[in-house]
Amino acid sequence: MKKLLALLLALVMVLSMTACGGNGGDDSGNKAPAKNLQTVEMEIEASGLEDMTKATIGVPKNMEIEEKDWCYVITDKKQNVEIEAYICCDYNCYDYNQEASKEECEGYGEQKFGDFDGYYYIDGSGYYVEVYVYLGCVAEMDDVYLSFTIGALEGSSDNPMELFKLKDVQTLLCSAEFFPAQEAEATN
């Protein structure tokens, strides 16, 4: 009986370590070891702040990263997946967009992505999953979030949710870290 209990406890521990795409994190907010991920840094300017607001994501090493003018394109040829990732900063709009998506979009769902809340849905074409990860608010009213468009690298996917659920994709989505710009202190 003790052996069975020990085996069950070991199984529970292994399963808890693989939660959220197997990032190896724990309840203290620790992320996966950097040696397993490539770090991508994104930054954006918030209204009225001199410094840039930054976020990083961890990309599994088997994925390729290409920097474009306004986003990063992350691909995995073996799993036929392509992800466009960028950071957004909009005036108090995250909740509004989420409510509209909830009412109008197929496959809508909410999920905890690492330390952050977010939501996802299948876009109107049916070929992509759109994911938004809310990072926080800066400059009193600017919502900062990460946007991901997940689809097939070649051709189209009949079920884009299968791509969204891939372990490497979930690892990437759950890896964000946020570095908000601080407002300058007033000098008198």
Side-chain angles (χ1 to χ4, degrees), residues 25-46:
D26 59 24
D27 289 340
S28 65
N30 292 335
K31 301 291 182 203
K35 65 182 179 183
N36 295 330
L37 301 174
Q38 307 169 74
T39 301
V40 171
E41 182 178 296
M42 294 179 266
E43 58 185 20
I44 196 162
E45 187 175 4

Side-chain angles (χ1 to χ4, degrees), residues 20 23 29-32 37-40 55-60 113-116 133 135 146 148 168-179:
C20 197
N23 67 1
N30 292 335
K31 301 291 182 203
L37 301 174
Q38 307 169 74
T39 301
V40 171
T56 61
I57 56 173
V59 178
F113 294 100
D115 296 332
F116 304 101
V133 179
L135 300 176
L146 295 173
F148 301 93
D168 287 339
V169 172
Q170 286 294 310
T171 295
L172 184 154
L173 295 174
C174 292
S175 69
E177 292 189 56
F178 182 46
F179 308 95

Side-chain angles (χ1 to χ4, degrees), residues 114-130:
D115 296 332
F116 304 101
D117 292 327
Y119 66 96
Y120 58 89
Y121 60 86
I122 299 172
D123 83 323
S125 72
Y127 295 129
Y128 305 98
V129 173
E130 300 286 344

Side-chain angles (χ1 to χ4, degrees), residues 4-187:
L4 179 60
L5 183 57
L7 181 62
L8 286 173
L9 286 173
L11 181 60
V12 168
M13 288 175 57
V14 168
L15 290 175
S16 67
M17 289 174 56
T18 61
C20 197
N23 67 1
D26 59 24
D27 289 340
S28 65
N30 292 335
K31 301 291 182 203
K35 65 182 179 183
N36 295 330
L37 301 174
Q38 307 169 74
T39 301
V40 171
E41 182 178 296
M42 294 179 266
E43 58 185 20
I44 196 162
E45 187 175 4
S47 58
L49 300 181
E50 292 180 27
D51 294 331
M52 300 293 272
T53 290
K54 297 179 184 179
T56 61
I57 56 173
V59 178
K61 289 196 174 191
N62 59 302
M63 297 179 138
E64 296 176 17
I65 304 167
E66 180 182 358
E67 186 174 1
K68 299 279 187 168
D69 290 338
W70 58 277
C71 71
Y72 286 88
V73 177
I74 301 160
T75 57
D76 183 338
K77 292 177 183 171
K78 194 172 187 178
Q79 297 186 80
N80 192 36
V81 67
E82 178 179 88
I83 304 164
E84 288 185 1
Y86 60 96
I87 189 169
C88 301
C89 184
D90 290 325
Y91 180 75
N92 199 24
C93 73
Y94 181 85
D95 289 337
Y96 173 80
N97 290 340
Q98 183 178 14
E99 288 303 313
S101 299
K102 198 182 292 188
E103 293 173 11
E104 300 169 10
C105 297
E106 176 187 346
Y108 175 87
E110 296 176 17
Q111 179 176 325
K112 189 88 167 159
F113 294 100
D115 296 332
F116 304 101
D117 292 327
Y119 66 96
Y120 58 89
Y121 60 86
I122 299 172
D123 83 323
S125 72
Y127 295 129
Y128 305 98
V129 173
E130 300 286 344
V131 179
Y132 298 93
V133 179
Y134 181 72
L135 300 176
C137 186
V138 294
E140 296 182 24
M141 295 296 282
D142 285 345
D143 290 332
V144 181
Y145 54 94
L146 295 173
S147 174
F148 301 93
T149 302
I150 303 163
L153 177 60
E154 294 186 18
S156 62
S157 174
D158 293 336
N159 187 355
M161 292 303 288
E162 289 177 1
L163 300 173
F164 167 73
K165 293 177 183 177
L166 289 171
K167 179 181 175 184
D168 287 339
V169 172
Q170 286 294 310
T171 295
L172 184 154
L173 295 174
C174 292
S175 69
E177 292 189 56
F178 182 46
F179 308 95
Q182 302 298 317
E183 292 186 50
E185 292 184 25
T187 55

